[in-house]
Amino acid sequence: MADRPHLRSLSDRVGILPEYHDIAGTLRVTKDGTRETLLASMGFDASTESGASLTLKSLERSEESRLLPPARVVVRDCENAPNISLRIPDTASSLEWHVELCEEDGTVHTVHGRGDPSRPNRVLEVKLPVNPLAGYHRVRATIESRGSVHEAEQSLIISPGRCAELSARLGDRRAFGVWTNLYSIRSRQNWGVGDLTDVERMVKDLAPCGAAFVGINPLHALLNQGGRISPYCPVSRLFRNPVYLDVESVPELAQCPQERAMVSSDAFGERLAGVRDARFVDYETIAGMKLDVLRRLHEVFLGKHADGRSERGRAYAEYVHSQGETLIEFATFSTLHEWLKTDVGGGRGWRDWPKEYRRPDSPDVEAFRSAHRREIEFHCYVQFELDRQLAHSADVAEHAGMAIGLYPDLAIGSAPDGSDAWAYQGLLAADVEVGAPPDPYSDAGQTWGFPPVVPHELEARQYDYWIRLLRASLAHAGMLRIDHILGLFRQYWVPDGVSATQGAYVRYPADALLGILALESCRHDAVIVGEDLGTVPPEVPCILSRWGILSSSVLYFERERDGSFRPAGSYSNRALVTATTHDHVPLPGFWTGRDLDIRAELGQAGPEEQRQQARQERKDTRSALLRAFVSEGISMEEEHATP
């Protein structure tokens, strides 16, 4: 095999790790073919050694020619203002430099001087004139030399260094809460799927019992069609799923007698009974029913509040303004998806649209927005109402005395054919997906169906997507769970169409991502919990602890060498402990062995001897768990203790 030094240098430069140790400790070396494919997914040509060399030189020239990186994240030092490193252009001789710091509040400070272009590495260190507070600031730099002017601008993000502290909410005491898959809740009031009013009811029921929080699955936007119903592979992580709206709590319904009569009719009641009694959640039917009613309520809203003079009209205008172009792009995508009737599950979504609609900034998309303004405004209205109802649930939790309140969940990725991938092309990698290498859970490894974010593009775009993502997730939250937080350090990329064994890890700018996470956590006064299960490098727990991020512990996995369950007092005081997780069997199914039955039904349980061994192991586990309950002073009725 030909040696590929330029390919490997380029791979190292953009963060593709040359090797990793799997869960068994075996060293896995990244193959050159994998390197080529992953580089192509990032937009780099490395198909030949000469191509890799040219790409590498282009990156080096680009870095050497810029005065400042586009973004920089710094932990605030209470005593010292940070330095700004200006890279002096090769053409500069005797030079003058000017640096302007525009603080987040608009205050501007300037500093200037003369520099020596012959200094080592042609880097000029400039100390800022003030020490800015934690926040988002702008640095503008200018170098003048012999009539030439070089300019650059940088987003300077000052982080507080730690996330919001749990002790500020709880003191030294421990606390408990209830976590639910909201879509699994059935009630006499909802329309066949749990909604935000059900969250409010849970808060009111649990707060008097001393619960500190109510946890819910990701509420991210979905297509609600076919198999596209996983909250962990949404069309957008920036916006929410209309299926969780309580339509009967929308203010416009009280102002529309005709719609109230329709919702109260026998015919509509029969439809509701059908979805409420269905064995599975009928996402498509429920979403269709809700959106049909919401479209008519939107017309009522326009008639009463479109001029922005009413309190509700002003609140809507403020929400749309706060979300900016990101909301318009999501609403445009949603409208285009409906208008083009994209085949769900059978194609590639927006990538199969007519060419003129495949980019959000195209003239044809702009013309489409003008022609379909009312429908685009409808999707903005739905997101506004979702935000209002979620905020109301958070207010109810606060007034009920919950120490934490709502505990939402942030998924690690978005679908390749979704709104985020359409709006952020180039940031989300093409023709590759995130997954996991082989482990005891899967000998073949895993692929999770969504594209990774390209690390160098995050910095190039000044971390805008990450900031928006955190703000959307932390809105109205007292605590936030980040799924697979190891993804802030590295992610396992698998090229489309190959086995997960052929993937490789890609490094992420963890310090910058964690710095921004700490800033947004403090601004929202929300505690952060990182799902840090599985194969985690030994240094990661210490880093998370240093940033004030809580850990995850799962009862199933907390075992001693002899198979006994660890006593509660041995758990870390920075761990959120759960019985199970969203991708493992629920406790009742675990207790009865239902998961083992399902494996047998699917032909995945192996030969009879293996199935019997699994059942004996489960029986031993139940006995060990019962002993753990007894040792903690928890009694169980005989009928529940015996499977």
Side-chain angles (χ1 to χ4, degrees):
M1 180 179 294
D3 191 28
R4 299 291 308 274
H6 296 304
L7 170 67
R8 294 173 186 178
S9 294
L10 177 59
S11 298
D12 292 344
R13 190 179 189 91
V14 300
I16 299 174
L17 300 187
E19 59 192 24
Y20 70 93
H21 287 90
D22 64 18
I23 198 168
T26 303
L27 182 68
R28 304 285 184 179
V29 177
T30 302
K31 297 180 179 179
D32 285 348
T34 299
R35 287 187 173 94
E36 283 184 27
T37 305
L38 297 190
L39 286 166
S41 74
M42 298 180 187
F44 299 125
D45 176 19
S47 56
T48 64
E49 188 65 357
S50 61
S53 176
L54 289 172
T55 302
L56 188 60
K57 290 177 181 177
S58 176
L59 285 176
E60 291 171 348
R61 286 194 301 269
S62 177
E63 184 173 310
E64 291 171 357
S65 66
R66 67 187 187 188
L67 300 188
L68 289 169
R72 183 180 177 210
V73 183
V74 181
V75 173
R76 187 169 193 268
D77 182 334
C78 294
E79 298 180 358
N80 301 310
N83 283 351
I84 298 298
S85 299
L86 294 179
R87 184 177 291 276
I88 302 171
D90 290 338
T91 57
S93 54
S94 59
L95 56 86
E96 294 183 2
W97 55 265
H98 306 264
V99 171
E100 177 184 278
L101 169 67
C102 181
E103 293 190 79
E104 192 170 19
D105 64 2
T107 305
V108 177
H109 310 271
T110 59
V111 60
H112 56 85
R114 295 179 179 274
D116 177 8
S118 64
R119 62 179 50 245
N121 300 322
R122 301 185 69 85
V123 173
L124 180 65
E125 297 292 339
V126 177
K127 192 175 187 64
L128 289 179
V130 298
N131 188 3
L133 298 175
Y136 299 92
H137 313 286
R138 309 295 302 182
V139 173
R140 297 183 181 92
T142 304
I143 288 181
E144 298 181 19
S145 175
R146 292 188 176 182
S148 297
V149 179
H150 306 270
E151 297 178 311
E153 186 171 304
Q154 179 183 83
S155 173
L156 178 62
I157 303 170
I158 306 295
S159 171
R162 282 183 67 83
C163 296
E165 299 287 352
L166 182 62
S167 59
R169 290 178 175 269
L170 296 177
D172 295 330
R173 68 184 177 92
R174 293 191 175 196
F176 78 93
V178 173
W179 192 92
T180 181
N181 288 314
L182 184 54
Y183 50 81
S184 68
I185 293 178
R186 296 286 177 89
S187 70
R188 289 188 295 272
Q189 291 79 26
N190 71 39
W191 290 15
V193 65
D195 57 37
L196 291 169
T197 296
D198 288 316
V199 173
E200 181 182 331
R201 294 189 183 102
M202 290 180 64
V203 165
K204 290 178 178 178
D205 288 342
L206 291 167
C209 302
F213 63 86
V214 168
I216 46 181
N217 58 275
L219 302 183
H220 306 321
L222 301 175
L223 292 180
N224 298 313
Q225 296 173 304
R228 302 300 305 279
I229 57 175
S230 169
Y232 291 94
C233 193
V235 294
S236 176
R237 294 186 287 166
L238 299 171
F239 297 98
R240 303 184 180 99
N241 189 350
V243 81
Y244 295 119
L245 264 181
D246 177 8
V247 175
E248 296 183 48
S249 292
V250 178
E252 283 69 50
L253 186 63
Q255 303 165 355
C256 184
Q258 300 94 331
E259 207 60 31
R260 288 203 313 274
M262 190 280 293
V263 170
S264 302
S265 68
D266 291 341
F268 196 81
E270 290 179 7
R271 294 185 67 193
L272 283 181
V275 293
R276 284 172 178 159
D277 295 340
R279 181 182 178 189
F280 301 109
V281 177
D282 189 345
Y283 283 86
E284 189 164 358
T285 298
I286 296 168
M289 293 170 65
K290 292 192 174 189
L291 291 174
D292 285 346
V293 176
L294 287 167
R295 281 190 169 86
R296 292 188 285 272
L297 297 185
H298 180 233
E299 295 299 321
V300 176
F301 172 85
L302 291 176
K304 294 182 176 294
H305 307 292
D307 59 8
R309 295 180 181 178
S310 66
E311 182 179 353
R312 183 159 168 80
R314 288 192 298 272
Y316 171 77
E318 289 170 4
Y319 172 78
V320 172
H321 176 74
S322 71
Q323 300 302 309
E325 188 64 22
T326 306
L327 173 61
I328 303 303
E329 288 179 343
F330 171 77
T332 301
F333 174 89
S334 301
T335 305
L336 274 165
H337 171 76
E338 294 166 352
W339 187 65
L340 294 169
K341 302 187 185 304
T342 308
D343 180 26
V344 176
R348 303 188 308 154
W350 60 268
R351 291 171 294 178
D352 286 336
W353 289 354
K355 186 176 181 180
E356 60 268 25
Y357 297 122
R358 292 180 195 166
R359 295 196 62 87
D361 56 356
S362 75
D364 292 277
V365 169
E366 185 60 37
F368 179 87
R369 284 177 178 160
S370 298
H372 295 81
R373 182 174 59 86
R374 182 67 62 87
E375 184 65 14
I376 289 170
E377 289 176 349
F378 164 70
H379 288 289
C380 294
Y381 165 78
V382 171
Q383 291 302 315
F384 161 68
E385 181 59 20
L386 275 162
D387 187 75
R388 186 196 70 82
Q389 290 192 13
L390 186 63
H392 180 70
S393 295
D395 288 343
V396 170
E398 181 179 358
H399 293 141
M402 279 193 164
I404 295 173
L406 301 188
Y407 172 43
D409 195 355
L410 171 59
I412 187 178
S414 304
D417 56 356
S419 168
D420 287 358
W422 180 72
Y424 288 90
Q425 293 179 48
L427 178 64
L428 273 65
D431 304 319
V432 65
E433 57 185 305
V434 178
D439 58 22
Y441 186 76
S442 172
D443 292 339
Q446 303 172 53
T447 52
W448 297 339
F450 54 81
V453 172
V454 178
H456 69 269
E457 279 291 328
L458 273 171
E459 181 193 24
R461 303 186 189 206
Q462 300 178 335
Y463 300 103
D464 173 72
Y465 181 68
W466 177 235
I467 295 167
R468 290 182 180 276
L469 194 57
L470 290 175
R471 289 176 179 173
S473 301
L474 288 165
H476 320 304
M479 186 164 67
L480 175 68
R481 177 186 183 273
I482 298 183
D483 191 39
H484 194 67
I485 201 166
L486 181 60
L488 302 187
F489 296 81
R490 68 181 192 184
Q491 292 183 18
Y492 190 73
W493 291 28
V494 182
D496 286 352
V498 304
S499 165
T501 60
Q502 303 301 308
Y505 275 106
V506 176
R507 184 175 59 252
Y508 280 74
D511 287 343
L513 299 178
L514 291 168
I516 295 169
L517 174 60
L519 175 56
E520 291 298 330
S521 165
C522 290
R523 290 198 161 180
H524 289 83
D525 190 25
V527 178
I528 304 299
V529 179
E531 188 268 293
D532 54 353
L533 306 172
T535 306
V536 178
E539 69 274 11
V540 169
C542 293
I543 295 174
L544 295 179
S545 178
R546 189 167 67 244
W547 283 96
I549 297 172
L550 304 187
S551 179
S552 297
S553 293
V554 179
L555 175 66
Y556 291 169
F557 309 143
E558 298 294 335
R559 311 283 290 275
E560 305 288 4
R561 291 182 180 275
D562 62 0
S564 62
F565 284 85
R566 291 175 53 198
S570 68
Y571 284 75
S572 168
N573 60 5
R574 53 174 292 271
L576 188 141
V577 183
T578 58
T580 183
T581 70
H582 65 267
D583 50 8
H584 287 83
V585 59
L587 189 56
F590 176 85
W591 194 259
T592 62
R594 176 58 181 149
D595 59 316
L596 303 180
D597 295 338
I598 293 173
R599 283 183 176 274
E601 292 168 8
L602 296 175
Q604 298 178 354
E608 178 62 24
E609 181 180 353
Q610 188 173 335
R611 293 198 296 270
Q612 291 298 328
Q613 181 181 353
R615 294 199 172 279
Q616 182 59 50
E617 289 176 353
R618 184 61 53 84
K619 183 177 180 181
D620 294 342
T621 300
R622 286 195 297 261
S623 298
L625 190 53
L626 285 173
R627 289 193 296 271
F629 287 153
V630 171
S631 67
E632 298 289 344
I634 302 172
S635 62
M636 295 186 67
E637 299 293 336
E638 182 67 24
E639 60 181 299
H640 298 303
T642 304

